[in-house]
Amino acid sequence: MGDVRALIDEARGLGLFRAHAPFEVHCGNCHMRLDPRGDCPSCGIIGRPEADVAKRAQSDAAGAEKLLRTQIARRRAYKPVRAGAREG
């Protein structure tokens, strides 16, 4: 549980915990379509409150750790597109 607690603290520091409204289908940060749980596959936003992830860690530490590691890695790899930037 200590490792999961450290990951939760890191995710909080990166600003990953942003609960979305139930009707939202796109990320408020990068506008990518959210997965069915409300998490962003692009920028790493976790669409649930921190308390929900901590509660999940109590019963499924491995699953919570995997979620946190995946979303933290996505956030670190995320490069926002600058306005007006064009490819090609």
Side-chain angles (χ1 to χ4, degrees):
M1 182 69 182
D3 193 35
V4 173
R5 186 82 244 157
L7 289 170
I8 289 173
D9 292 341
E10 184 176 355
R12 183 184 325 110
L14 292 170
L16 296 184
F17 294 108
R18 291 193 205 159
H20 292 98
F23 57 85
E24 292 185 76
V25 295
H26 293 97
C27 178
N29 184 52
C30 70
H31 308 293
M32 177 70 99
R33 188 166 183 86
L34 299 171
D35 72 9
R37 293 176 311 219
D39 300 336
C40 182
S42 175
C43 70
I45 294 294
I46 299 171
R48 289 164 273 170
E50 179 181 341
D52 288 356
V53 176
K55 185 176 179 181
R56 177 181 175 187
Q58 291 175 351
S59 62
D60 180 19
E65 182 177 346
K66 181 180 177 187
L67 166 74
L68 290 164
R69 286 191 190 281
T70 301
Q71 295 304 93
I72 289 169
R74 285 178 177 165
R75 171 58 82 166
R76 288 187 176 150
Y78 174 67
K79 303 287 187 244
V81 177
R82 290 190 341 239
R86 294 185 74 177
E87 290 185 25

Coordinates of all heavy atoms in Angstrom, one line a residue:
M1 N 0.8 -1.2 0.0 CA 0.0 0.0 0.0 C 0.9 1.3 0.0 O 0.5 2.3 -0.5 CB -0.9 0.0 1.2 CG -1.9 1.1 1.3 SD -3.1 1.1 0.0 CE -4.0 2.6 0.4
G2 N 2.1 1.2 0.6 CA 3.0 2.3 0.6 C 3.3 2.8 -0.8 O 3.4 4.0 -1.0
D3 N 3.6 1.9 -1.7 CA 3.9 2.2 -3.1 C 2.8 2.9 -3.8 O 2.9 3.9 -4.5 CB 4.4 1.0 -3.8 CG 5.1 1.3 -5.1 OD1 5.8 2.4 -5.2 OD2 4.9 0.6 -6.1
V4 N 1.6 2.4 -3.5 CA 0.4 3.0 -4.1 C 0.2 4.4 -3.6 O -0.2 5.3 -4.3 CB -0.9 2.1 -3.9 CG1 -2.1 2.8 -4.3 CG2 -0.7 0.8 -4.6
R5 N 0.4 4.6 -2.3 CA 0.3 5.9 -1.6 C 1.2 6.9 -2.3 O 0.8 8.0 -2.6 CB 0.6 5.8 -0.1 CG 0.3 7.0 0.6 CD -1.2 7.2 1.0 NE -1.7 8.3 0.3 CZ -3.0 8.6 0.0 NH1 -3.9 7.7 0.2 NH2 -3.3 9.7 -0.6
A6 N 2.5 6.5 -2.6 CA 3.4 7.3 -3.2 C 3.0 7.7 -4.6 O 3.1 8.8 -5.1 CB 4.8 6.7 -3.3
L7 N 2.4 6.7 -5.3 CA 1.9 7.0 -6.7 C 0.7 7.9 -6.7 O 0.6 8.8 -7.5 CB 1.5 5.6 -7.4 CG 2.6 4.7 -7.8 CD1 2.1 3.4 -8.2 CD2 3.5 5.4 -8.9
I8 N -0.2 7.8 -5.7 CA -1.3 8.7 -5.5 C -0.8 10.1 -5.3 O -1.3 11.1 -5.9 CB -2.3 8.2 -4.4 CG1 -3.0 7.0 -4.8 CG2 -3.2 9.3 -4.0 CD1 -3.9 6.4 -3.8
D9 N 0.2 10.2 -4.4 CA 0.8 11.6 -4.2 C 1.4 12.2 -5.4 O 1.3 13.3 -5.7 CB 1.9 11.5 -3.1 CG 1.3 11.2 -1.7 OD1 0.1 11.4 -1.5 OD2 2.0 10.7 -0.8
E10 N 2.1 11.3 -6.2 CA 2.7 11.8 -7.5 C 1.6 12.2 -8.5 O 1.7 13.3 -9.1 CB 3.6 10.7 -8.1 CG 4.3 11.2 -9.3 CD 5.3 10.1 -9.9 OE1 5.4 9.1 -9.2 OE2 5.8 10.4 -10.9
A11 N 0.5 11.4 -8.6 CA -0.6 11.8 -9.5 C -1.2 13.1 -9.1 O -1.6 13.9 -9.9 CB -1.6 10.6 -9.5
R12 N -1.4 13.3 -7.7 CA -1.9 14.5 -7.2 C -1.0 15.7 -7.6 O -1.5 16.7 -8.1 CB -2.1 14.5 -5.7 CG -2.8 15.7 -5.2 CD -2.9 15.8 -3.7 NE -3.2 14.5 -3.0 CZ -2.3 13.9 -2.2 NH1 -1.1 14.4 -2.0 NH2 -2.6 12.8 -1.6
G13 N 0.3 15.5 -7.5 CA 1.2 16.5 -7.8 C 1.2 16.9 -9.3 O 1.4 18.0 -9.7
L14 N 0.9 15.9 -10.1 CA 0.8 16.2 -11.6 C -0.6 16.7 -12.0 O -0.8 17.0 -13.2 CB 1.1 14.9 -12.4 CG 2.5 14.4 -12.3 CD1 2.6 13.0 -12.9 CD2 3.4 15.3 -13.0
G15 N -1.5 16.8 -11.0 CA -2.8 17.3 -11.3 C -3.7 16.3 -12.1 O -4.5 16.7 -12.9
L16 N -3.5 15.0 -11.9 CA -4.3 14.0 -12.7 C -5.7 13.8 -12.2 O -6.5 13.2 -13.0 CB -3.5 12.7 -12.7 CG -2.1 12.7 -13.4 CD1 -1.5 11.4 -13.4 CD2 -2.2 13.3 -14.8
F17 N -6.0 14.1 -11.0 CA -7.3 13.8 -10.5 C -8.3 14.9 -10.8 O -8.3 16.0 -10.2 CB -7.3 13.5 -9.0 CG -6.6 12.3 -8.6 CD1 -5.3 12.4 -8.0 CD2 -7.1 11.1 -8.8 CE1 -4.6 11.3 -7.6 CE2 -6.4 9.9 -8.5 CZ -5.1 10.0 -7.8
R18 N -9.1 14.7 -11.9 CA -10.1 15.6 -12.3 C -11.4 14.9 -12.6 O -11.5 14.3 -13.7 CB -9.7 16.4 -13.5 CG -8.6 17.4 -13.2 CD -8.4 18.3 -14.4 NE -7.0 18.8 -14.4 CZ -6.4 19.3 -15.4 NH1 -7.1 19.4 -16.6 NH2 -5.2 19.7 -15.4
A19 N -12.3 14.9 -11.7 CA -13.6 14.2 -12.0 C -14.3 14.9 -13.1 O -14.5 16.1 -13.1 CB -14.4 14.1 -10.7
H20 N -14.8 14.1 -14.0 CA -15.6 14.6 -15.1 C -17.1 14.4 -14.8 O -17.4 13.5 -14.0 CB -15.3 13.9 -16.4 CG -14.0 14.1 -17.0 ND1 -12.9 13.3 -16.8 CD2 -13.5 15.1 -17.7 CE1 -11.8 13.7 -17.4 NE2 -12.2 14.9 -17.9
A21 N -17.9 15.2 -15.4 CA -19.4 15.0 -15.2 C -19.7 13.7 -15.9 O -19.1 13.4 -16.9 CB -20.1 16.2 -15.8
P22 N -20.8 13.0 -15.5 CA -21.2 11.8 -16.1 C -21.5 11.9 -17.6 O -21.3 10.9 -18.3 CB -22.4 11.4 -15.3 CG -22.4 12.1 -14.1 CD -21.6 13.4 -14.4
F23 N -21.9 13.0 -18.1 CA -22.3 13.1 -19.5 C -21.1 13.5 -20.4 O -21.2 13.5 -21.6 CB -23.4 14.1 -19.7 CG -23.0 15.5 -19.1 CD1 -22.4 16.4 -19.9 CD2 -23.4 15.9 -17.8 CE1 -22.0 17.7 -19.4 CE2 -23.1 17.1 -17.3 CZ -22.4 18.0 -18.1
E24 N -19.9 13.8 -19.8 CA -18.8 14.3 -20.6 C -18.1 13.1 -21.3 O -17.9 12.0 -20.7 CB -17.8 15.0 -19.8 CG -18.3 16.3 -19.3 CD -17.2 17.1 -18.5 OE1 -16.3 17.6 -19.2 OE2 -17.3 17.1 -17.3
V25 N -17.8 13.2 -22.6 CA -17.2 12.2 -23.3 C -15.8 12.6 -23.8 O -15.1 11.7 -24.3 CB -18.0 11.7 -24.5 CG1 -19.3 11.0 -24.0 CG2 -18.3 12.8 -25.5
H26 N -15.5 13.8 -23.6 CA -14.2 14.3 -24.1 C -13.4 15.0 -22.9 O -14.0 15.6 -22.0 CB -14.3 15.4 -25.2 CG -14.8 14.8 -26.4 ND1 -16.1 14.8 -26.8 CD2 -14.2 14.1 -27.4 CE1 -16.3 14.2 -28.0 NE2 -15.1 13.7 -28.3
C27 N -12.1 14.8 -22.9 CA -11.2 15.3 -21.8 C -11.3 16.8 -21.8 O -11.2 17.5 -22.9 CB -9.8 14.8 -22.0 SG -8.6 15.4 -20.8
G28 N -11.4 17.4 -20.6 CA -11.4 18.9 -20.5 C -10.0 19.5 -20.7 O -9.9 20.7 -20.9
N29 N -9.0 18.6 -20.7 CA -7.6 19.1 -20.8 C -7.1 19.1 -22.3 O -6.7 20.1 -22.8 CB -6.7 18.3 -19.9 CG -5.3 18.8 -20.0 OD1 -5.0 20.0 -19.7 ND2 -4.3 17.9 -20.2
C30 N -7.3 17.9 -22.9 CA -6.7 17.8 -24.3 C -7.8 17.5 -25.3 O -7.5 17.4 -26.5 CB -5.7 16.6 -24.3 SG -6.4 15.0 -24.1
H31 N -9.1 17.3 -24.9 CA -10.2 17.1 -25.8 C -10.2 15.8 -26.5 O -11.0 15.6 -27.4 CB -10.4 18.2 -26.8 CG -10.3 19.6 -26.1 ND1 -11.3 20.0 -25.3 CD2 -9.4 20.6 -26.2 CE1 -11.0 21.2 -24.9 NE2 -9.9 21.6 -25.3
M32 N -9.4 14.8 -26.0 CA -9.5 13.4 -26.6 C -10.7 12.7 -26.0 O -11.1 13.1 -24.9 CB -8.2 12.7 -26.2 CG -8.1 11.3 -26.6 SD -8.0 11.1 -28.3 CE -6.2 10.8 -28.4
R33 N -11.2 11.8 -26.7 CA -12.3 11.0 -26.2 C -11.9 10.2 -25.0 O -10.9 9.5 -25.0 CB -12.9 10.1 -27.3 CG -14.2 9.4 -26.9 CD -14.9 8.8 -28.1 NE -16.1 8.2 -27.7 CZ -17.3 8.9 -27.7 NH1 -17.3 10.2 -28.0 NH2 -18.4 8.3 -27.4
L34 N -12.7 10.2 -23.9 CA -12.4 9.5 -22.7 C -12.7 8.0 -22.8 O -13.6 7.6 -23.6 CB -13.3 10.1 -21.5 CG -13.0 11.5 -21.2 CD1 -14.1 12.0 -20.2 CD2 -11.6 11.8 -20.6
D35 N -12.0 7.2 -22.0 CA -12.4 5.8 -22.0 C -13.6 5.5 -21.2 O -14.1 6.5 -20.6 CB -11.2 4.9 -21.6 CG -10.9 5.0 -20.1 OD1 -11.7 5.6 -19.3 OD2 -9.8 4.5 -19.7
P36 N -14.2 4.3 -21.2 CA -15.5 4.1 -20.5 C -15.4 4.4 -19.0 O -16.5 4.7 -18.4 CB -15.7 2.6 -20.7 CG -15.0 2.3 -21.9 CD -13.8 3.2 -22.0
R37 N -14.3 4.4 -18.3 CA -14.2 4.8 -16.9 C -14.0 6.3 -16.7 O -13.9 6.7 -15.6 CB -13.0 4.0 -16.3 CG -13.2 2.5 -16.2 CD -12.0 1.9 -15.6 NE -10.8 2.5 -16.4 CZ -9.8 1.8 -16.7 NH1 -9.7 0.5 -16.4 NH2 -8.8 2.4 -17.4
G38 N -13.9 7.0 -17.8 CA -13.7 8.5 -17.6 C -12.2 8.9 -17.6 O -11.9 10.1 -17.3
D39 N -11.3 8.0 -17.9 CA -9.9 8.3 -17.9 C -9.5 8.7 -19.3 O -10.0 8.2 -20.3 CB -9.0 7.2 -17.4 CG -9.4 6.7 -16.0 OD1 -9.9 7.5 -15.2 OD2 -9.1 5.5 -15.7
C40 N -8.5 9.6 -19.4 CA -8.0 10.1 -20.7 C -6.8 9.2 -21.2 O -5.8 9.2 -20.5 CB -7.6 11.5 -20.7 SG -7.1 12.2 -22.3
P41 N -7.0 8.6 -22.4 CA -5.9 7.8 -22.9 C -4.7 8.6 -23.5 O -3.7 8.1 -23.9 CB -6.5 6.9 -23.9 CG -7.7 7.7 -24.4 CD -8.1 8.5 -23.2
S42 N -4.9 9.9 -23.6 CA -3.9 10.8 -24.2 C -3.0 11.5 -23.1 O -1.8 11.4 -23.1 CB -4.6 11.8 -25.1 OG -3.6 12.7 -25.6
C43 N -3.7 12.3 -22.3 CA -2.9 13.2 -21.4 C -2.8 12.6 -19.9 O -2.2 13.2 -19.1 CB -3.5 14.6 -21.3 SG -5.1 14.7 -20.6
G44 N -3.5 11.5 -19.7 CA -3.4 10.9 -18.4 C -4.3 11.3 -17.3 O -4.2 10.8 -16.1
I45 N -5.3 12.2 -17.6 CA -6.2 12.6 -16.6 C -7.0 11.4 -16.1 O -7.5 10.6 -16.8 CB -7.2 13.7 -17.1 CG1 -6.5 14.9 -17.5 CG2 -8.4 14.0 -16.2 CD1 -5.9 15.7 -16.3
I46 N -7.2 11.3 -14.7 CA -8.0 10.3 -14.1 C -9.3 10.9 -13.8 O -9.4 11.8 -13.0 CB -7.3 9.7 -12.8 CG1 -5.9 9.1 -13.2 CG2 -8.2 8.7 -12.1 CD1 -5.1 8.8 -12.0
G47 N -10.4 10.4 -14.4 CA -11.7 10.9 -14.3 C -12.5 10.6 -13.0 O -13.7 10.6 -13.1
R48 N -11.8 10.2 -12.0 CA -12.4 9.9 -10.7 C -11.8 10.6 -9.6 O -10.6 11.0 -9.7 CB -12.3 8.4 -10.5 CG -13.1 7.5 -11.4 CD -12.7 6.1 -11.4 NE -11.6 6.0 -12.4 CZ -10.9 5.0 -12.6 NH1 -11.0 4.0 -11.8 NH2 -10.0 5.0 -13.5
P49 N -12.4 10.9 -8.5 CA -11.8 11.5 -7.4 C -10.7 10.7 -6.8 O -10.7 9.4 -6.9 CB -12.9 11.7 -6.4 CG -14.2 11.5 -7.1 CD -13.9 10.6 -8.3
E50 N -9.7 11.3 -6.2 CA -8.6 10.6 -5.5 C -9.1 9.6 -4.5 O -8.5 8.5 -4.4 CB -7.7 11.7 -4.9 CG -6.5 11.1 -4.2 CD -5.7 12.2 -3.5 OE1 -5.8 13.4 -3.8 OE2 -4.9 11.8 -2.6
A51 N -10.1 10.0 -3.8 CA -10.7 9.1 -2.7 C -11.1 7.7 -3.3 O -11.0 6.7 -2.7 CB -11.8 9.7 -2.0
D52 N -11.7 7.8 -4.5 CA -12.1 6.5 -5.2 C -11.0 5.6 -5.6 O -11.0 4.4 -5.4 CB -12.9 6.8 -6.5 CG -14.3 7.4 -6.2 OD1 -14.7 7.5 -5.0 OD2 -15.0 7.7 -7.2
V53 N -9.9 6.2 -6.0 CA -8.7 5.4 -6.4 C -8.1 4.9 -5.1 O -7.6 3.7 -5.1 CB -7.7 6.3 -7.2 CG1 -6.4 5.5 -7.4 CG2 -8.3 6.8 -8.5
A54 N -8.0 5.7 -4.0 CA -7.5 5.2 -2.7 C -8.3 4.0 -2.2 O -7.8 3.1 -1.7 CB -7.4 6.3 -1.7
K55 N -9.6 4.1 -2.3 CA -10.5 3.1 -1.9 C -10.3 1.8 -2.7 O -10.3 0.7 -2.1 CB -12.0 3.5 -2.0 CG -13.0 2.6 -1.4 CD -14.4 3.1 -1.5 CE -15.4 2.2 -0.9 NZ -16.7 2.7 -1.0
R56 N -10.1 2.0 -4.0 CA -9.8 0.8 -4.8 C -8.5 0.1 -4.5 O -8.4 -1.1 -4.5 CB -9.8 1.2 -6.3 CG -9.4 0.1 -7.2 CD -9.4 0.5 -8.7 NE -8.9 -0.6 -9.5 CZ -8.6 -0.5 -10.8 NH1 -8.8 0.6 -11.4 NH2 -8.2 -1.6 -11.4
A57 N -7.5 1.0 -4.1 CA -6.2 0.4 -3.7 C -6.3 -0.5 -2.4 O -5.5 -1.4 -2.3 CB -5.3 1.6 -3.4
Q58 N -7.3 -0.2 -1.6 CA -7.5 -1.1 -0.4 C -7.9 -2.5 -0.8 O -7.5 -3.5 -0.1 CB -8.5 -0.5 0.5 CG -8.0 0.8 1.2 CD -9.0 1.5 2.0 OE1 -10.2 1.1 2.0 NE2 -8.6 2.5 2.8
S59 N -8.7 -2.6 -1.8 CA -9.2 -4.0 -2.2 C -8.4 -4.6 -3.4 O -8.4 -5.8 -3.5 CB -10.7 -3.9 -2.5 OG -10.9 -3.1 -3.6
D60 N -7.9 -3.7 -4.2 CA -7.1 -4.2 -5.4 C -5.9 -3.3 -5.6 O -5.8 -2.5 -6.5 CB -8.1 -4.1 -6.6 CG -7.4 -4.6 -7.9 OD1 -6.4 -5.3 -7.9 OD2 -7.9 -4.2 -9.0
A61 N -4.9 -3.5 -4.8 CA -3.7 -2.7 -4.8 C -3.0 -2.8 -6.2 O -2.5 -1.8 -6.7 CB -2.7 -3.1 -3.7
A62 N -2.9 -4.0 -6.8 CA -2.3 -4.2 -8.0 C -3.0 -3.5 -9.2 O -2.3 -2.8 -10.0 CB -2.2 -5.7 -8.4
G63 N -4.3 -3.5 -9.2 CA -5.0 -2.8 -10.2 C -4.9 -1.3 -10.1 O -4.7 -0.6 -11.1
A64 N -4.9 -0.8 -8.8 CA -4.8 0.7 -8.6 C -3.4 1.1 -9.0 O -3.2 2.2 -9.6 CB -5.1 1.0 -7.2
E65 N -2.4 0.3 -8.7 CA -1.0 0.6 -9.0 C -0.8 0.7 -10.5 O -0.2 1.6 -11.0 CB -0.1 -0.4 -8.4 CG 1.4 -0.1 -8.6 CD 2.3 -1.1 -8.0 OE1 1.9 -1.8 -7.1 OE2 3.5 -1.0 -8.3
K66 N -1.4 -0.3 -11.2 CA -1.3 -0.3 -12.7 C -2.0 0.9 -13.3 O -1.4 1.6 -14.2 CB -2.0 -1.6 -13.2 CG -1.9 -1.7 -14.7 CD -2.5 -3.0 -15.2 CE -2.5 -3.0 -16.7 NZ -3.3 -4.1 -17.3
L67 N -3.1 1.3 -12.8 CA -3.8 2.5 -13.3 C -3.0 3.7 -13.1 O -2.8 4.5 -14.0 CB -5.2 2.7 -12.5 CG -5.8 4.0 -12.7 CD1 -6.4 4.2 -14.1 CD2 -6.9 4.2 -11.7
L68 N -2.4 3.9 -11.9 CA -1.7 5.1 -11.6 C -0.4 5.1 -12.4 O 0.0 6.2 -12.9 CB -1.4 5.1 -10.1 CG -2.6 5.4 -9.2 CD1 -2.3 5.1 -7.7 CD2 -3.0 6.9 -9.3
R69 N 0.3 4.0 -12.5 CA 1.6 4.0 -13.3 C 1.3 4.3 -14.7 O 2.0 5.1 -15.4 CB 2.3 2.6 -13.2 CG 2.9 2.4 -11.8 CD 3.8 1.2 -11.9 NE 4.3 0.8 -10.6 CZ 5.3 1.4 -9.9 NH1 5.9 2.4 -10.5 NH2 5.7 1.1 -8.7
T70 N 0.2 3.8 -15.3 CA -0.1 4.0 -16.7 C -0.5 5.5 -16.9 O 0.0 6.1 -17.9 CB -1.3 3.1 -17.1 OG1 -1.0 1.8 -16.9 CG2 -1.7 3.4 -18.5
Q71 N -1.3 6.0 -16.1 CA -1.7 7.4 -16.2 C -0.6 8.4 -16.0 O -0.5 9.4 -16.7 CB -2.9 7.8 -15.3 CG -4.2 7.0 -15.7 CD -4.6 7.1 -17.1 OE1 -4.3 6.4 -18.0 NE2 -5.4 8.2 -17.4
I72 N 0.3 8.1 -15.0 CA 1.5 9.0 -14.8 C 2.4 8.9 -16.0 O 2.9 10.0 -16.5 CB 2.2 8.6 -13.5 CG1 1.3 9.0 -12.3 CG2 3.6 9.2 -13.4 CD1 1.8 8.4 -11.0
A73 N 2.6 7.8 -16.6 CA 3.5 7.6 -17.8 C 2.8 8.4 -19.0 O 3.6 9.0 -19.7 CB 3.6 6.2 -18.1
R74 N 1.5 8.3 -19.1 CA 0.8 9.1 -20.2 C 1.0 10.6 -20.0 O 1.2 11.3 -21.0 CB -0.6 8.7 -20.2 CG -0.9 7.3 -20.8 CD -2.4 7.0 -20.8 NE -2.6 5.7 -21.4 CZ -3.6 5.0 -21.3 NH1 -4.7 5.4 -20.6 NH2 -3.8 3.8 -21.9
R75 N 0.9 11.0 -18.8 CA 1.1 12.5 -18.5 C 2.5 12.9 -18.8 O 2.7 14.0 -19.4 CB 0.8 12.8 -17.0 CG 1.1 14.2 -16.6 CD 0.4 15.2 -17.5 NE -0.9 15.4 -17.0 CZ -1.8 16.3 -17.3 NH1 -1.4 17.3 -18.1 NH2 -2.9 16.4 -16.7
R76 N 3.5 12.1 -18.5 CA 4.9 12.5 -18.7 C 5.2 12.5 -20.2 O 6.0 13.3 -20.7 CB 5.8 11.6 -18.0 CG 5.8 11.8 -16.5 CD 6.8 11.0 -15.8 NE 6.9 11.3 -14.4 CZ 7.2 10.5 -13.5 NH1 7.5 9.3 -13.8 NH2 7.2 10.9 -12.2
A77 N 4.5 11.6 -21.0 CA 4.7 11.5 -22.4 C 3.9 12.5 -23.2 O 4.2 12.8 -24.4 CB 4.4 10.1 -22.9
Y78 N 2.9 13.1 -22.6 CA 2.0 14.0 -23.3 C 2.7 15.3 -23.7 O 3.3 16.0 -22.8 CB 0.8 14.3 -22.3 CG -0.2 15.3 -22.9 CD1 -1.0 15.0 -24.0 CD2 -0.4 16.5 -22.3 CE1 -1.9 16.0 -24.5 CE2 -1.3 17.5 -22.8 CZ -2.0 17.2 -23.9 OH -2.9 18.1 -24.4
K79 N 2.5 15.7 -24.9 CA 3.0 16.9 -25.4 C 1.9 17.7 -26.0 O 1.3 17.3 -27.1 CB 4.1 16.7 -26.5 CG 5.3 15.9 -26.1 CD 6.2 16.7 -25.2 CE 7.4 15.9 -24.9 NZ 7.6 15.5 -23.5
P80 N 1.4 18.8 -25.4 CA 0.2 19.5 -25.9 C 0.6 20.1 -27.3 O 1.7 20.6 -27.5 CB -0.1 20.5 -24.9 CG 1.1 20.6 -24.0 CD 1.9 19.3 -24.1
V81 N -0.4 20.2 -28.1 CA -0.3 20.8 -29.4 C -0.4 22.3 -29.2 O -1.4 22.7 -28.6 CB -1.3 20.2 -30.4 CG1 -1.2 20.9 -31.8 CG2 -1.2 18.7 -30.6
R82 N 0.5 23.0 -29.8 CA 0.4 24.5 -29.7 C -0.7 25.0 -30.6 O -0.8 24.5 -31.7 CB 1.7 25.2 -30.0 CG 2.8 24.9 -29.0 CD 4.0 25.8 -29.2 NE 4.2 26.3 -30.5 CZ 5.2 26.0 -31.4 NH1 6.1 25.2 -31.0 NH2 5.2 26.6 -32.6
A83 N -1.4 26.0 -30.2 CA -2.4 26.7 -31.1 C -1.7 27.2 -32.3 O -0.6 27.9 -32.2 CB -3.1 27.7 -30.3
G84 N -2.2 26.9 -33.5 CA -1.7 27.4 -34.7 C -0.6 26.6 -35.3 O -0.1 26.9 -36.4
A85 N -0.2 25.6 -34.6 CA 0.9 24.7 -35.1 C 0.3 23.8 -36.2 O -0.8 23.3 -36.1 CB 1.5 23.8 -34.0
R86 N 1.0 23.6 -37.3 CA 0.6 22.8 -38.4 C 1.6 21.7 -38.7 O 2.8 21.9 -38.6 CB 0.4 23.6 -39.7 CG -0.7 24.6 -39.6 CD -0.9 25.3 -40.9 NE -1.6 24.3 -41.8 CZ -2.0 24.6 -43.0 NH1 -1.8 25.8 -43.4 NH2 -2.6 23.7 -43.7
E87 N 1.1 20.5 -39.0 CA 2.0 19.5 -39.4 C 2.2 19.5 -40.9 O 1.3 19.9 -41.7 CB 1.4 18.1 -39.1 CG 1.3 17.8 -37.6 CD 0.8 16.4 -37.3 OE1 1.0 15.6 -38.2 OE2 0.3 16.2 -36.2
G88 N 3.3 19.1 -41.4 CA 3.5 19.0 -42.8 C 4.5 19.8 -43.3 O 5.2 20.3 -43.9

